Amino acid sequence: QQQVKQSPQSLIVQKGGISIINCAYENTAFDYFPWYQQFPGKGPALLIAIRPDVSEKKEGRFTISFNKSAKQFSLHIMDSQPGDSATYFCAARSYNTDKLIFGTGTRLQVFP
Amino acid sequence: DGGITQSPKYLFRKEGQNVTLSCEQNLNHDAMYWYRQDPGQGLRLIYYSQIVNDFQKGDIAEGYSVSREKKESFPLTVTSAQKNPTAFYLCASSAGGEQYFGPGTRLTVT
């Protein structure tokens, strides 16, 4: 019940295309859903986050879509660029802890 | 410069030796965390601390120890009891739920 399931494991997208990464959870106590971007050999960087009281949040080319009833959330990267090539992790936090539960990551490759 | 620093970036040790990884933050965050990352896997929580002089075990605490004597520092010791210590270790801190990560330390034990 504490798991966050992330898919796909890897994703190849043409430059200018849309990258979509999906996550699903079971624990209804989760109340905060961040996405992290990690380049090889670096620490993850907080990209964008959403709380369950909204269904969508957009920051530049990055959008989180949240479906509370289906317990799913996804990251959309519009106009994907080669510089977006990285590993992306979704995560979830329960309202009564400060711990994040991470998905297993998606390796995105954007080709010119 | 505000942020989280981890040192060293690369660390090599012989089997059977304890090793301590440093994590320092100047963000004035109360909570700090240690994660382990292995290839093809997500981040697994080793230990976390929500306040000075207090810490809790995460999901994979066996073979590790921590201390939290100062708000800005949260060192992790990888002991000889840890069966597979070679990994990428990440420190994080948080305030208000948002976690921020350091650059990581890659530990290789041979």
Side-chain angles (χ1 to χ4, degrees), chain A residues 9 32 34 36 38 40-46 49 51 87 89 93 96-105, chain B residues 9 31 33 35 37 40-43 45 48 50 59 88 90 94 96-104 106:
Chain A
Q9 192 172 351
Y32 172 71
Y36 286 84
Q38 185 180 29
K42 307 291 185 185
L46 180 62
R51 296 188 188 273
T87 299
F89 292 94
R93 187 199 66 183
N96 58 355
T97 76
D98 263 339
K99 296 192 295 181
L100 287 178
I101 308 298
F102 284 87
T104 49
Chain B
K9 187 173 174 67
Y33 310 79
Y35 293 89
Q37 187 173 32
Q41 296 195 33
L43 285 72
L45 183 64
Y48 65 106
Q50 294 176 296
D59 301 318
F88 189 47
L90 288 156
S94 77
E98 293 186 350
Q99 281 193 25
Y100 298 92
F101 285 83
R106 187 166 298 280

mmCIF file of all heavy atoms in Angstrom, chain A residues 9 32 34 36 38 40-46 49 51 87 89 93 96-105, chain B residues 9 31 33 35 37 40-43 45 48 50 59 88 90 94 96-104 106:
data_model
loop_
_atom_site.group_PDB
_atom_site.id
_atom_site.type_symbol
_atom_site.label_atom_id
_atom_site.label_comp_id
_atom_site.label_asym_id
_atom_site.label_seq_id
_atom_site.Cartn_x
_atom_site.Cartn_y
_atom_site.Cartn_z
ATOM 1 N N GLN A 9 9.495 2.277 -17.837
ATOM 2 C CA GLN A 9 10.842 2.242 -17.271
ATOM 3 C C GLN A 9 11.771 3.115 -18.105
ATOM 4 O O GLN A 9 12.663 3.754 -17.584
ATOM 5 C CB GLN A 9 11.341 0.809 -17.245
ATOM 6 C CG GLN A 9 12.595 0.601 -16.426
ATOM 7 C CD GLN A 9 12.927 -0.875 -16.294
ATOM 8 O OE1 GLN A 9 12.143 -1.750 -16.672
ATOM 9 N NE2 GLN A 9 14.083 -1.177 -15.766
ATOM 10 N N TYR A 32 0.756 14.774 -1.208
ATOM 11 C CA TYR A 32 1.727 15.645 -1.885
ATOM 12 C C TYR A 32 2.481 14.786 -2.871
ATOM 13 O O TYR A 32 2.963 13.702 -2.503
ATOM 14 C CB TYR A 32 2.660 16.253 -0.837
ATOM 15 C CG TYR A 32 3.844 17.018 -1.387
ATOM 16 C CD1 TYR A 32 3.686 18.245 -2.010
ATOM 17 C CD2 TYR A 32 5.132 16.504 -1.255
ATOM 18 C CE1 TYR A 32 4.781 18.942 -2.505
ATOM 19 C CE2 TYR A 32 6.225 17.192 -1.734
ATOM 20 C CZ TYR A 32 6.047 18.408 -2.361
ATOM 21 O OH TYR A 32 7.136 19.102 -2.847
ATOM 22 N N PRO A 34 5.372 15.060 -5.717
ATOM 23 C CA PRO A 34 6.399 15.791 -6.474
ATOM 24 C C PRO A 34 6.995 14.936 -7.589
ATOM 25 O O PRO A 34 6.930 13.696 -7.559
ATOM 26 C CB PRO A 34 7.463 16.073 -5.411
ATOM 27 C CG PRO A 34 7.354 14.918 -4.466
ATOM 28 C CD PRO A 34 5.903 14.449 -4.507
ATOM 29 N N TYR A 36 10.760 14.588 -9.653
ATOM 30 C CA TYR A 36 12.164 14.959 -9.626
ATOM 31 C C TYR A 36 12.817 14.595 -10.947
ATOM 32 O O TYR A 36 12.472 13.602 -11.579
ATOM 33 C CB TYR A 36 12.892 14.241 -8.487
ATOM 34 C CG TYR A 36 12.581 14.794 -7.115
ATOM 35 C CD1 TYR A 36 11.446 14.375 -6.416
ATOM 36 C CD2 TYR A 36 13.403 15.744 -6.522
ATOM 37 C CE1 TYR A 36 11.152 14.895 -5.160
ATOM 38 C CE2 TYR A 36 13.117 16.262 -5.270
ATOM 39 C CZ TYR A 36 11.992 15.834 -4.605
ATOM 40 O OH TYR A 36 11.704 16.346 -3.360
ATOM 41 N N GLN A 38 16.639 13.866 -12.601
ATOM 42 C CA GLN A 38 18.010 13.544 -12.197
ATOM 43 C C GLN A 38 18.879 13.295 -13.420
ATOM 44 O O GLN A 38 18.566 12.428 -14.247
ATOM 45 C CB GLN A 38 18.027 12.318 -11.283
ATOM 46 C CG GLN A 38 19.416 12.006 -10.730
ATOM 47 C CD GLN A 38 19.433 10.791 -9.818
ATOM 48 O OE1 GLN A 38 18.625 9.884 -9.971
ATOM 49 N NE2 GLN A 38 20.352 10.773 -8.856
ATOM 50 N N PRO A 40 22.716 12.128 -14.902
ATOM 51 C CA PRO A 40 23.695 11.125 -14.438
ATOM 52 C C PRO A 40 24.743 11.727 -13.496
ATOM 53 O O PRO A 40 25.315 12.774 -13.772
ATOM 54 C CB PRO A 40 24.323 10.641 -15.744
ATOM 55 C CG PRO A 40 23.263 10.856 -16.771
ATOM 56 C CD PRO A 40 22.551 12.108 -16.357
ATOM 57 N N GLY A 41 24.948 11.051 -12.377
ATOM 58 C CA GLY A 41 25.965 11.478 -11.425
ATOM 59 C C GLY A 41 25.581 12.666 -10.571
ATOM 60 O O GLY A 41 26.412 13.172 -9.803
ATOM 61 N N LYS A 42 24.342 13.127 -10.673
ATOM 62 C CA LYS A 42 23.888 14.294 -9.902
ATOM 63 C C LYS A 42 22.756 13.900 -8.953
ATOM 64 O O LYS A 42 22.150 12.852 -9.099
ATOM 65 C CB LYS A 42 23.362 15.391 -10.849
ATOM 66 C CG LYS A 42 24.327 15.790 -11.945
ATOM 67 C CD LYS A 42 25.525 16.512 -11.395
ATOM 68 C CE LYS A 42 26.416 17.017 -12.529
ATOM 69 N NZ LYS A 42 27.666 17.615 -12.007
ATOM 70 N N GLY A 43 22.471 14.771 -7.992
ATOM 71 C CA GLY A 43 21.333 14.547 -7.134
ATOM 72 C C GLY A 43 20.045 14.925 -7.842
ATOM 73 O O GLY A 43 20.041 15.762 -8.747
ATOM 74 N N PRO A 44 18.929 14.322 -7.448
ATOM 75 C CA PRO A 44 17.629 14.687 -8.050
ATOM 76 C C PRO A 44 17.286 16.139 -7.732
ATOM 77 O O PRO A 44 17.573 16.631 -6.638
ATOM 78 C CB PRO A 44 16.645 13.734 -7.375
ATOM 79 C CG PRO A 44 17.476 12.620 -6.822
ATOM 80 C CD PRO A 44 18.793 13.233 -6.469
ATOM 81 N N ALA A 45 16.640 16.794 -8.685
ATOM 82 C CA ALA A 45 16.191 18.178 -8.507
ATOM 83 C C ALA A 45 14.675 18.218 -8.577
ATOM 84 O O ALA A 45 14.079 17.612 -9.476
ATOM 85 C CB ALA A 45 16.795 19.075 -9.576
ATOM 86 N N LEU A 46 14.065 18.901 -7.621
ATOM 87 C CA LEU A 46 12.612 19.038 -7.613
ATOM 88 C C LEU A 46 12.170 19.807 -8.849
ATOM 89 O O LEU A 46 12.628 20.929 -9.102
ATOM 90 C CB LEU A 46 12.174 19.772 -6.345
ATOM 91 C CG LEU A 46 10.682 20.008 -6.174
ATOM 92 C CD1 LEU A 46 9.922 18.694 -6.103
ATOM 93 C CD2 LEU A 46 10.427 20.823 -4.903
ATOM 94 N N ALA A 49 5.442 19.946 -8.418
ATOM 95 C CA ALA A 49 4.715 19.140 -7.443
ATOM 96 C C ALA A 49 3.252 19.561 -7.430
ATOM 97 O O ALA A 49 2.916 20.693 -7.832
ATOM 98 C CB ALA A 49 5.325 19.295 -6.051
ATOM 99 N N ARG A 51 -0.703 19.007 -5.205
ATOM 100 C CA ARG A 51 -1.487 18.493 -4.088
ATOM 101 C C ARG A 51 -2.843 18.060 -4.630
ATOM 102 O O ARG A 51 -3.292 18.574 -5.659
ATOM 103 C CB ARG A 51 -1.616 19.561 -2.998
ATOM 104 C CG ARG A 51 -0.272 19.918 -2.396
ATOM 105 C CD ARG A 51 -0.355 20.818 -1.195
ATOM 106 N NE ARG A 51 0.971 21.259 -0.791
ATOM 107 C CZ ARG A 51 1.774 20.577 0.035
ATOM 108 N NH1 ARG A 51 1.381 19.427 0.535
ATOM 109 N NH2 ARG A 51 2.967 21.038 0.353
ATOM 110 N N THR A 87 16.661 11.019 -15.961
ATOM 111 C CA THR A 87 15.765 10.080 -15.293
ATOM 112 C C THR A 87 14.781 10.876 -14.441
ATOM 113 O O THR A 87 15.192 11.805 -13.728
ATOM 114 C CB THR A 87 16.550 9.089 -14.422
ATOM 115 O OG1 THR A 87 17.443 8.336 -15.253
ATOM 116 C CG2 THR A 87 15.606 8.119 -13.718
ATOM 117 N N PHE A 89 11.690 10.812 -11.575
ATOM 118 C CA PHE A 89 11.093 10.052 -10.484
ATOM 119 C C PHE A 89 9.824 10.749 -10.007
ATOM 120 O O PHE A 89 9.826 11.957 -9.756
ATOM 121 C CB PHE A 89 12.047 9.964 -9.283
ATOM 122 C CG PHE A 89 13.274 9.150 -9.517
ATOM 123 C CD1 PHE A 89 14.462 9.731 -9.923
ATOM 124 C CD2 PHE A 89 13.255 7.762 -9.332
ATOM 125 C CE1 PHE A 89 15.605 8.972 -10.137
ATOM 126 C CE2 PHE A 89 14.380 6.998 -9.546
ATOM 127 C CZ PHE A 89 15.558 7.600 -9.950
ATOM 128 N N ARG A 93 3.916 11.630 -0.662
ATOM 129 C CA ARG A 93 4.135 11.771 0.776
ATOM 130 C C ARG A 93 2.807 11.675 1.496
ATOM 131 O O ARG A 93 1.809 12.259 1.073
ATOM 132 C CB ARG A 93 4.771 13.122 1.086
ATOM 133 C CG ARG A 93 5.189 13.283 2.548
ATOM 134 C CD ARG A 93 5.371 14.721 2.913
ATOM 135 N NE ARG A 93 4.092 15.422 2.849
ATOM 136 C CZ ARG A 93 3.942 16.725 3.069
ATOM 137 N NH1 ARG A 93 5.000 17.466 3.356
ATOM 138 N NH2 ARG A 93 2.778 17.296 2.998
ATOM 139 N N ASN A 96 0.771 12.493 7.253
ATOM 140 C CA ASN A 96 1.190 12.402 8.647
ATOM 141 C C ASN A 96 2.670 12.048 8.822
ATOM 142 O O ASN A 96 3.109 11.743 9.923
ATOM 143 C CB ASN A 96 0.332 11.401 9.407
ATOM 144 C CG ASN A 96 0.388 10.018 8.775
ATOM 145 O OD1 ASN A 96 0.991 9.846 7.717
ATOM 146 N ND2 ASN A 96 -0.219 9.046 9.409
ATOM 147 N N THR A 97 3.422 12.074 7.720
ATOM 148 C CA THR A 97 4.869 11.838 7.813
ATOM 149 C C THR A 97 5.594 12.853 6.940
ATOM 150 O O THR A 97 4.982 13.534 6.130
ATOM 151 C CB THR A 97 5.268 10.426 7.339
ATOM 152 O OG1 THR A 97 5.236 10.394 5.896
ATOM 153 C CG2 THR A 97 4.342 9.364 7.881
ATOM 154 N N ASP A 98 6.884 12.893 7.099
ATOM 155 C CA ASP A 98 7.711 13.727 6.231
ATOM 156 C C ASP A 98 8.476 12.878 5.234
ATOM 157 O O ASP A 98 9.411 13.345 4.610
ATOM 158 C CB ASP A 98 8.695 14.543 7.062
ATOM 159 C CG ASP A 98 8.175 15.950 7.317
ATOM 160 O OD1 ASP A 98 7.297 16.394 6.555
ATOM 161 O OD2 ASP A 98 8.652 16.588 8.269
ATOM 162 N N LYS A 99 8.086 11.619 5.090
ATOM 163 C CA LYS A 99 8.824 10.707 4.215
ATOM 164 C C LYS A 99 8.200 10.675 2.829
ATOM 165 O O LYS A 99 6.983 10.648 2.675
ATOM 166 C CB LYS A 99 8.807 9.287 4.803
ATOM 167 C CG LYS A 99 9.512 9.169 6.132
ATOM 168 C CD LYS A 99 9.733 7.720 6.521
ATOM 169 C CE LYS A 99 8.446 6.989 6.752
ATOM 170 N NZ LYS A 99 8.688 5.578 7.152
ATOM 171 N N LEU A 100 9.087 10.669 1.826
ATOM 172 C CA LEU A 100 8.639 10.500 0.446
ATOM 173 C C LEU A 100 8.807 9.041 0.034
ATOM 174 O O LEU A 100 9.815 8.420 0.338
ATOM 175 C CB LEU A 100 9.458 11.382 -0.497
ATOM 176 C CG LEU A 100 9.202 12.892 -0.464
ATOM 177 C CD1 LEU A 100 10.134 13.602 -1.438
ATOM 178 C CD2 LEU A 100 7.752 13.202 -0.783
ATOM 179 N N ILE A 101 7.821 8.533 -0.692
ATOM 180 C CA ILE A 101 7.908 7.211 -1.301
ATOM 181 C C ILE A 101 8.140 7.449 -2.790
ATOM 182 O O ILE A 101 7.335 8.136 -3.441
ATOM 183 C CB ILE A 101 6.615 6.409 -1.105
ATOM 184 C CG1 ILE A 101 6.210 6.395 0.370
ATOM 185 C CG2 ILE A 101 6.788 4.987 -1.650
ATOM 186 C CD1 ILE A 101 7.204 5.745 1.294
ATOM 187 N N PHE A 102 9.245 6.895 -3.325
ATOM 188 C CA PHE A 102 9.615 7.160 -4.705
ATOM 189 C C PHE A 102 9.201 6.030 -5.631
ATOM 190 O O PHE A 102 9.225 4.849 -5.255
ATOM 191 C CB PHE A 102 11.132 7.343 -4.808
ATOM 192 C CG PHE A 102 11.603 8.675 -4.299
ATOM 193 C CD1 PHE A 102 11.902 8.864 -2.963
ATOM 194 C CD2 PHE A 102 11.748 9.746 -5.159
ATOM 195 C CE1 PHE A 102 12.328 10.095 -2.488
ATOM 196 C CE2 PHE A 102 12.173 10.982 -4.702
ATOM 197 C CZ PHE A 102 12.458 11.161 -3.366
ATOM 198 N N GLY A 103 8.855 6.400 -6.862
ATOM 199 C CA GLY A 103 8.733 5.429 -7.923
ATOM 200 C C GLY A 103 10.119 4.965 -8.343
ATOM 201 O O GLY A 103 11.136 5.503 -7.892
ATOM 202 N N THR A 104 10.173 3.982 -9.251
ATOM 203 C CA THR A 104 11.445 3.374 -9.630
ATOM 204 C C THR A 104 12.176 4.144 -10.718
ATOM 205 O O THR A 104 13.285 3.793 -11.078
ATOM 206 C CB THR A 104 11.241 1.927 -10.080
ATOM 207 O OG1 THR A 104 10.181 1.900 -11.032
ATOM 208 C CG2 THR A 104 10.887 1.031 -8.902
ATOM 209 N N GLY A 105 11.541 5.186 -11.264
ATOM 210 C CA GLY A 105 12.229 6.045 -12.224
ATOM 211 C C GLY A 105 11.936 5.693 -13.676
ATOM 212 O O GLY A 105 11.654 4.538 -14.015
ATOM 213 N N LYS B 9 32.884 13.537 -3.202
ATOM 214 C CA LYS B 9 32.046 13.135 -4.336
ATOM 215 C C LYS B 9 32.242 11.645 -4.634
ATOM 216 O O LYS B 9 31.303 10.947 -4.965
ATOM 217 C CB LYS B 9 32.413 13.972 -5.560
ATOM 218 C CG LYS B 9 31.501 13.771 -6.757
ATOM 219 C CD LYS B 9 31.839 14.770 -7.843
ATOM 220 C CE LYS B 9 31.045 14.514 -9.112
ATOM 221 N NZ LYS B 9 29.608 14.765 -8.929
ATOM 222 N N ALA B 31 14.357 18.997 8.921
ATOM 223 C CA ALA B 31 14.409 17.578 8.581
ATOM 224 C C ALA B 31 15.535 17.278 7.594
ATOM 225 O O ALA B 31 15.790 18.043 6.671
ATOM 226 C CB ALA B 31 13.080 17.132 7.982
ATOM 227 N N TYR B 33 17.601 13.731 5.538
ATOM 228 C CA TYR B 33 17.381 12.351 5.106
ATOM 229 C C TYR B 33 18.634 11.801 4.442
ATOM 230 O O TYR B 33 19.382 12.536 3.826
ATOM 231 C CB TYR B 33 16.245 12.287 4.068
ATOM 232 C CG TYR B 33 14.988 13.006 4.467
ATOM 233 C CD1 TYR B 33 14.897 14.391 4.348
ATOM 234 C CD2 TYR B 33 13.891 12.311 4.967
ATOM 235 C CE1 TYR B 33 13.753 15.067 4.723
ATOM 236 C CE2 TYR B 33 12.737 12.975 5.338
ATOM 237 C CZ TYR B 33 12.676 14.355 5.212
ATOM 238 O OH TYR B 33 11.540 15.015 5.580
ATOM 239 N N TYR B 35 19.424 8.684 1.594
ATOM 240 C CA TYR B 35 18.912 7.699 0.666
ATOM 241 C C TYR B 35 20.072 6.946 0.028
ATOM 242 O O TYR B 35 21.162 7.473 -0.130
ATOM 243 C CB TYR B 35 18.127 8.368 -0.467
ATOM 244 C CG TYR B 35 16.850 9.037 -0.049
ATOM 245 C CD1 TYR B 35 16.836 10.373 0.351
ATOM 246 C CD2 TYR B 35 15.642 8.351 -0.077
ATOM 247 C CE1 TYR B 35 15.661 11.002 0.715
ATOM 248 C CE2 TYR B 35 14.460 8.968 0.276
ATOM 249 C CZ TYR B 35 14.473 10.290 0.669
ATOM 250 O OH TYR B 35 13.305 10.914 1.023
ATOM 251 N N GLN B 37 20.871 4.896 -3.634
ATOM 252 C CA GLN B 37 20.383 4.680 -4.986
ATOM 253 C C GLN B 37 21.272 3.657 -5.681
ATOM 254 O O GLN B 37 22.492 3.822 -5.763
ATOM 255 C CB GLN B 37 20.367 5.989 -5.776
ATOM 256 C CG GLN B 37 19.706 5.854 -7.135
ATOM 257 C CD GLN B 37 19.551 7.177 -7.845
ATOM 258 O OE1 GLN B 37 20.358 8.097 -7.705
ATOM 259 N NE2 GLN B 37 18.486 7.315 -8.624
ATOM 260 N N GLY B 40 19.078 1.338 -11.749
ATOM 261 C CA GLY B 40 17.783 0.777 -12.128
ATOM 262 C C GLY B 40 16.763 0.747 -11.010
ATOM 263 O O GLY B 40 15.664 0.216 -11.183
ATOM 264 N N GLN B 41 17.123 1.310 -9.863
ATOM 265 C CA GLN B 41 16.176 1.323 -8.748
ATOM 266 C C GLN B 41 15.887 2.750 -8.322
ATOM 267 O O GLN B 41 16.628 3.673 -8.632
ATOM 268 C CB GLN B 41 16.740 0.534 -7.568
ATOM 269 C CG GLN B 41 16.936 -0.937 -7.857
ATOM 270 C CD GLN B 41 17.147 -1.730 -6.596
ATOM 271 O OE1 GLN B 41 16.597 -1.410 -5.539
ATOM 272 N NE2 GLN B 41 17.942 -2.772 -6.675
ATOM 273 N N GLY B 42 14.828 2.904 -7.600
ATOM 274 C CA GLY B 42 14.494 4.219 -7.070
ATOM 275 C C GLY B 42 15.350 4.543 -5.859
ATOM 276 O O GLY B 42 16.362 3.899 -5.601
ATOM 277 N N LEU B 43 14.928 5.538 -5.132
ATOM 278 C CA LEU B 43 15.649 5.966 -3.936
ATOM 279 C C LEU B 43 15.076 5.245 -2.721
ATOM 280 O O LEU B 43 13.861 5.258 -2.506
ATOM 281 C CB LEU B 43 15.514 7.473 -3.741
ATOM 282 C CG LEU B 43 16.347 8.358 -4.677
ATOM 283 C CD1 LEU B 43 15.815 8.351 -6.090
ATOM 284 C CD2 LEU B 43 16.394 9.776 -4.135
ATOM 285 N N LEU B 45 15.094 4.876 1.427
ATOM 286 C CA LEU B 45 15.379 5.670 2.618
ATOM 287 C C LEU B 45 16.159 4.860 3.643
ATOM 288 O O LEU B 45 15.737 3.772 4.043
ATOM 289 C CB LEU B 45 14.065 6.164 3.222
ATOM 290 C CG LEU B 45 14.159 7.075 4.429
ATOM 291 C CD1 LEU B 45 14.845 8.394 4.063
ATOM 292 C CD2 LEU B 45 12.762 7.341 4.993
ATOM 293 N N TYR B 48 16.267 9.031 8.674
ATOM 294 C CA TYR B 48 15.852 10.419 8.591
ATOM 295 C C TYR B 48 15.773 11.024 9.985
ATOM 296 O O TYR B 48 15.650 10.317 10.987
ATOM 297 C CB TYR B 48 14.524 10.569 7.841
ATOM 298 C CG TYR B 48 13.322 9.943 8.501
ATOM 299 C CD1 TYR B 48 12.360 10.726 9.134
ATOM 300 C CD2 TYR B 48 13.118 8.574 8.448
ATOM 301 C CE1 TYR B 48 11.247 10.159 9.721
ATOM 302 C CE2 TYR B 48 12.009 7.992 9.033
ATOM 303 C CZ TYR B 48 11.070 8.786 9.657
ATOM 304 O OH TYR B 48 9.967 8.212 10.238
ATOM 305 N N GLN B 50 14.006 14.435 11.988
ATOM 306 C CA GLN B 50 13.093 15.575 11.888
ATOM 307 C C GLN B 50 13.493 16.715 12.806
ATOM 308 O O GLN B 50 12.973 17.834 12.676
ATOM 309 C CB GLN B 50 11.659 15.124 12.175
ATOM 310 C CG GLN B 50 11.135 14.176 11.101
ATOM 311 C CD GLN B 50 9.752 13.647 11.402
ATOM 312 O OE1 GLN B 50 9.564 12.949 12.384
ATOM 313 N NE2 GLN B 50 8.798 13.971 10.558
ATOM 314 N N ASP B 59 13.746 2.455 5.533
ATOM 315 C CA ASP B 59 13.428 1.106 5.059
ATOM 316 C C ASP B 59 14.625 0.165 5.029
ATOM 317 O O ASP B 59 14.463 -1.049 5.044
ATOM 318 C CB ASP B 59 12.835 1.197 3.651
ATOM 319 C CG ASP B 59 11.570 2.058 3.631
ATOM 320 O OD1 ASP B 59 10.756 1.914 4.563
ATOM 321 O OD2 ASP B 59 11.417 2.871 2.703
ATOM 322 N N PHE B 88 25.306 4.780 -4.689
ATOM 323 C CA PHE B 88 25.288 6.240 -4.743
ATOM 324 C C PHE B 88 24.433 6.705 -3.570
ATOM 325 O O PHE B 88 23.280 6.299 -3.434
ATOM 326 C CB PHE B 88 24.681 6.676 -6.083
ATOM 327 C CG PHE B 88 24.782 8.152 -6.384
ATOM 328 C CD1 PHE B 88 25.968 8.831 -6.201
ATOM 329 C CD2 PHE B 88 23.695 8.843 -6.893
ATOM 330 C CE1 PHE B 88 26.082 10.186 -6.506
ATOM 331 C CE2 PHE B 88 23.784 10.196 -7.208
ATOM 332 C CZ PHE B 88 24.979 10.864 -7.015
ATOM 333 N N LEU B 90 22.652 9.657 -1.294
ATOM 334 C CA LEU B 90 22.097 10.998 -1.433
ATOM 335 C C LEU B 90 21.555 11.495 -0.097
ATOM 336 O O LEU B 90 20.840 10.778 0.601
ATOM 337 C CB LEU B 90 20.962 10.991 -2.459
ATOM 338 C CG LEU B 90 21.411 10.819 -3.907
ATOM 339 C CD1 LEU B 90 20.296 10.256 -4.754
ATOM 340 C CD2 LEU B 90 21.889 12.162 -4.464
ATOM 341 N N SER B 94 14.495 19.047 4.177
ATOM 342 C CA SER B 94 13.174 19.539 3.796
ATOM 343 C C SER B 94 12.610 20.509 4.812
ATOM 344 O O SER B 94 12.945 20.487 5.998
ATOM 345 C CB SER B 94 12.190 18.378 3.600
ATOM 346 O OG SER B 94 11.756 17.880 4.837
ATOM 347 N N GLY B 96 8.516 22.190 5.136
ATOM 348 C CA GLY B 96 7.200 22.300 4.515
ATOM 349 C C GLY B 96 6.914 21.208 3.507
ATOM 350 O O GLY B 96 6.089 21.370 2.611
ATOM 351 N N GLY B 97 7.613 20.086 3.616
ATOM 352 C CA GLY B 97 7.321 18.956 2.747
ATOM 353 C C GLY B 97 8.197 18.844 1.515
ATOM 354 O O GLY B 97 8.394 17.752 0.991
ATOM 355 N N GLU B 98 8.730 19.951 1.011
ATOM 356 C CA GLU B 98 9.550 19.882 -0.199
ATOM 357 C C GLU B 98 10.958 19.435 0.166
ATOM 358 O O GLU B 98 11.624 20.068 0.980
ATOM 359 C CB GLU B 98 9.596 21.254 -0.869
ATOM 360 C CG GLU B 98 8.262 21.696 -1.419
ATOM 361 C CD GLU B 98 8.358 22.990 -2.203
ATOM 362 O OE1 GLU B 98 9.422 23.636 -2.154
ATOM 363 O OE2 GLU B 98 7.359 23.353 -2.850
ATOM 364 N N GLN B 99 11.402 18.346 -0.469
ATOM 365 C CA GLN B 99 12.744 17.835 -0.196
ATOM 366 C C GLN B 99 13.704 18.298 -1.277
ATOM 367 O O GLN B 99 13.386 18.240 -2.468
ATOM 368 C CB GLN B 99 12.741 16.296 -0.151
ATOM 369 C CG GLN B 99 12.234 15.737 1.150
ATOM 370 C CD GLN B 99 12.520 14.260 1.310
ATOM 371 O OE1 GLN B 99 13.453 13.714 0.716
ATOM 372 N NE2 GLN B 99 11.711 13.608 2.128
ATOM 373 N N TYR B 100 14.898 18.683 -0.826
ATOM 374 C CA TYR B 100 15.958 19.127 -1.721
ATOM 375 C C TYR B 100 17.169 18.251 -1.484
ATOM 376 O O TYR B 100 17.519 17.968 -0.337
ATOM 377 C CB TYR B 100 16.288 20.602 -1.478
ATOM 378 C CG TYR B 100 15.111 21.498 -1.744
ATOM 379 C CD1 TYR B 100 14.237 21.843 -0.714
ATOM 380 C CD2 TYR B 100 14.838 21.947 -3.021
ATOM 381 C CE1 TYR B 100 13.128 22.639 -0.965
ATOM 382 C CE2 TYR B 100 13.736 22.749 -3.278
ATOM 383 C CZ TYR B 100 12.883 23.082 -2.242
ATOM 384 O OH TYR B 100 11.787 23.857 -2.496
ATOM 385 N N PHE B 101 17.794 17.849 -2.592
ATOM 386 C CA PHE B 101 18.870 16.879 -2.515
ATOM 387 C C PHE B 101 20.242 17.518 -2.696
ATOM 388 O O PHE B 101 20.406 18.522 -3.402
ATOM 389 C CB PHE B 101 18.691 15.807 -3.596
ATOM 390 C CG PHE B 101 17.613 14.818 -3.278
ATOM 391 C CD1 PHE B 101 16.294 15.098 -3.558
ATOM 392 C CD2 PHE B 101 17.932 13.607 -2.677
ATOM 393 C CE1 PHE B 101 15.298 14.190 -3.254
ATOM 394 C CE2 PHE B 101 16.946 12.693 -2.374
ATOM 395 C CZ PHE B 101 15.627 12.981 -2.662
ATOM 396 N N GLY B 102 21.232 16.867 -2.077
ATOM 397 C CA GLY B 102 22.615 17.217 -2.329
ATOM 398 C C GLY B 102 23.112 16.543 -3.598
ATOM 399 O O GLY B 102 22.370 15.805 -4.252
ATOM 400 N N PRO B 103 24.389 16.765 -3.942
ATOM 401 C CA PRO B 103 24.941 16.223 -5.189
ATOM 402 C C PRO B 103 25.296 14.741 -5.120
ATOM 403 O O PRO B 103 25.565 14.135 -6.151
ATOM 404 C CB PRO B 103 26.196 17.059 -5.411
ATOM 405 C CG PRO B 103 26.594 17.488 -4.040
ATOM 406 C CD PRO B 103 25.332 17.662 -3.270
ATOM 407 N N GLY B 104 25.318 14.156 -3.933
ATOM 408 C CA GLY B 104 25.573 12.724 -3.807
ATOM 409 C C GLY B 104 27.028 12.365 -3.586
ATOM 410 O O GLY B 104 27.944 13.126 -3.918
ATOM 411 N N ARG B 106 29.428 8.899 -4.303
ATOM 412 C CA ARG B 106 29.489 7.536 -4.856
ATOM 413 C C ARG B 106 30.520 6.765 -4.057
ATOM 414 O O ARG B 106 31.708 7.081 -4.083
ATOM 415 C CB ARG B 106 29.845 7.559 -6.332
ATOM 416 C CG ARG B 106 29.749 6.184 -6.979
ATOM 417 C CD ARG B 106 29.774 6.252 -8.492
ATOM 418 N NE ARG B 106 28.661 6.995 -9.055
ATOM 419 C CZ ARG B 106 27.435 6.512 -9.227
ATOM 420 N NH1 ARG B 106 27.152 5.286 -8.856
ATOM 421 N NH2 ARG B 106 26.497 7.258 -9.776
#
